[in-house]
Structures are given as structure tokens and as C-alpha cells.
């Protein structure tokens, strides 16, 4: 009996986690390695889940596209990797929430602290751009092949903003002297 009480106390977090997912309308959540295979599997699951909700095809494609871009960002740029020699397969958290008015795709992953200023600059530049300047920025990124000091990342962010028509929402949370937790949220409006 004592073990049962201990177990109940230890597992209260499961119900707390479930409640938080429900309270925030989170329909899909994952934490762990993000590889190409996992991206494919999650994309397929989420796509069928959205299809079940009878969303129009254009909405399904938009959410699917943002989801893949977000997962690839973690895969390529996470500062946590199980295989340190892997150029991809980063660690991170990913979830999708749905409200009456929008889908929200949120990712979180560890990055090196020295990357924060460059990343902020890139996101601010993208968020401050209009439709035409985003198109030009996209072309420029393809020609140059890099937008940030680390390279990459910017093209995916530009693409997300172009597809959603919404600015990126982001935050950097201090972990320690060398690492930061990067949270990125993209929204796709469900209102026509």
C-alpha cells in the first residue's frame, strides 16, 4: 500500500502534464531526438490528424510545411545531439496546438549562447520585412547560401514567415554560461 501511495505521488506529474496539454489545446507533443526519419513519421501523423479534423487541403499543406521546417531547424541546429559527429539528429521539443482561430507550432532546443545575437538579428530582420522584402531576402539567401554567421537557418525562417504571413515569436532562456534554450513559435491562421 505504501508503494502505491509513493507511486501515485511520483506519477502526479503525468496527470499534471496531461492537464497542461489539454489546457493549452496541444494535440501533438514530442521531446527527444529529431532525425530525418522522425520528421517523416511525425509529419505523416500530424498530416493525417489534421486531415481527420476536416481542414481544407491548403491549411493542411501550410501546417505540414511549417512543421517540417521547424523540425529540420531542430535537427540541424540543436546544440544537443546524441551522436556528436552527426550534422543532423538534434534534440528538442516540438508540439502543435489548435484553437478556433489558429494552429500554433512551437519548438524548443538548446543552442550555444554565442549564437543568440546573430539569431536575434536574423529573426528581427525577417520579422521587420514586408512581403516584397521577404521575397528579395529569400532570393538573396539562396544566392549567398547563408544569412547568419553560423550559416543556414535564415532560409527556413523566411519561408515560415512567407507561408504564414505572421511574425516569428521567439525567446531565449538562459541555461548556463555557455548554453541557451531557444523557443520558436509559428502561427497559422484558421480564419479565411
Amino acid at each position: 500500500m505504501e508503494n502505491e501511495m509513493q507511486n501515485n505521488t511520483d506519477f502526479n506529474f503525468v496527470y499534471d502534464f496531461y492537464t497542461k496539454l489539454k489546457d493549452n489545446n496541444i494535440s501533438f507533443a514530442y521531446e527527444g531526438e529529431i532525425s530525418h526519419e522522425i520528421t517523416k513519421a511525425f509529419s505523416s501523423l500530424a498530416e493525417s490528424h489534421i486531415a481527420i479534423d476536416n481542414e481544407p487541403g491548403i491549411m493542411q499543406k501550410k501546417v505540414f510545411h511549417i512543421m517540417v521546417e521547424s523540425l529540420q531547424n531542430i535537427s540541424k541546429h540543436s546544440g544537443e545531439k546524441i551522436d556528436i559527429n552527426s550534422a543532423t539528429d538534434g534534440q528538442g521539443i516540438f508540439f502543435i496546438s489548435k484553437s478556433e482561430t489558429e494552429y500554433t507550432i512551437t519548438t524548443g532546443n538548446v543552442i550555444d549562447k554565442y549564437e543568440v545575437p546573430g539569431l536575434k538579428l536574423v529573426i528581427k530582420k525577417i520579422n521587420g520585412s514586408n512581403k516584397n522584402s521577404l521575397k528579395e531576402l529569400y532570393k538573396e539567401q539562396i544566392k549567398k547560401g547563408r544569412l547568419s554567421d553560423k550559416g543556414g537557418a535564415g532560409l527556413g525562417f523566411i519561408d515560415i514567415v512567407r507561408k504564414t504571413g505572421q511574425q516569428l515569436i521567439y525567446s531565449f532562456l538562459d541555461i548556463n554560461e555557455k548554453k541557451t534554450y531557444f523557443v520558436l513559435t509559428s502561427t497559422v491562421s484558421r480564419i479565411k
Side-chain angles (χ1 to χ4, degrees):
M1 188 66 169
E2 194 172 303
N3 280 341
E4 185 179 336
M5 285 180 68
Q6 178 64 38
N7 286 341
N8 284 341
T9 303
D10 288 346
F11 293 116
N12 280 343
F13 83 92
V14 175
Y15 182 71
D16 291 343
F17 183 67
Y18 167 80
T19 304
K20 284 181 181 171
L21 291 177
K22 285 292 183 192
D23 288 349
N24 291 289
N25 300 315
I26 295 173
S27 58
F28 190 88
Y30 173 80
E31 189 282 326
E33 181 183 60
I34 308 285
S35 65
H36 177 69
E37 291 76 21
I38 288 172
T39 299
K40 275 177 62 177
F42 287 169
S43 300
S44 184
L45 274 172
E47 193 174 29
S48 62
H49 179 72
I50 294 167
I52 290 168
D53 284 350
N54 295 319
E55 291 287 358
I58 192 162
M59 175 63 62
Q60 291 178 34
K61 285 181 184 174
K62 213 179 262 190
V63 173
F64 174 76
H65 185 84
I66 304 310
M67 195 179 73
V68 169
E69 286 291 344
S70 300
L71 289 168
Q72 286 177 343
N73 187 47
I74 293 173
S75 175
K76 292 177 185 172
H77 300 285
S78 175
E80 281 184 311
K81 297 181 187 292
I82 290 175
D83 178 1
I84 198 162
N85 296 317
S86 173
T88 59
D89 302 352
Q91 299 281 304
I93 189 167
F94 168 83
F95 54 86
I96 298 177
S97 60
K98 177 184 166 186
S99 71
E100 291 293 320
T101 58
E102 64 190 18
Y103 280 96
T104 304
I105 296 106
T106 300
T107 60
N109 59 279
V110 174
I111 62 170
D112 291 322
K113 196 165 255 181
Y114 73 86
E115 297 177 83
V116 173
L119 203 46
K120 275 185 182 176
L121 204 61
V122 168
I123 294 173
K124 282 181 181 175
K125 185 174 185 178
I126 293 168
N127 278 346
S129 298
N130 62 30
K131 192 174 180 179
N132 288 334
S133 56
L134 277 174
K135 190 175 179 180
E136 290 305 312
L137 198 57
Y138 190 84
K139 286 180 186 174
E140 182 184 327
Q141 169 64 2
I142 287 176
K143 279 183 192 171
K144 289 183 178 176
R146 55 185 289 161
L147 187 64
S148 64
D149 289 341
K150 191 179 178 187
L155 192 59
F157 292 160
I158 295 168
D159 208 28
I160 290 171
V161 173
R162 288 179 70 196
K163 293 271 192 253
T164 64
Q166 304 286 324
Q167 291 188 343
L168 299 169
I169 301 164
Y170 62 98
S171 184
F172 297 97
L173 310 169
D174 278 345
I175 297 173
N176 58 39
E177 288 177 11
K178 294 183 177 181
K179 300 287 182 183
T180 296
Y181 200 77
F182 174 49
V183 179
L184 181 70
T185 298
S186 308
T187 56
V188 179
S189 175
R190 295 182 68 211
I191 299 170
K192 294 178 185 174

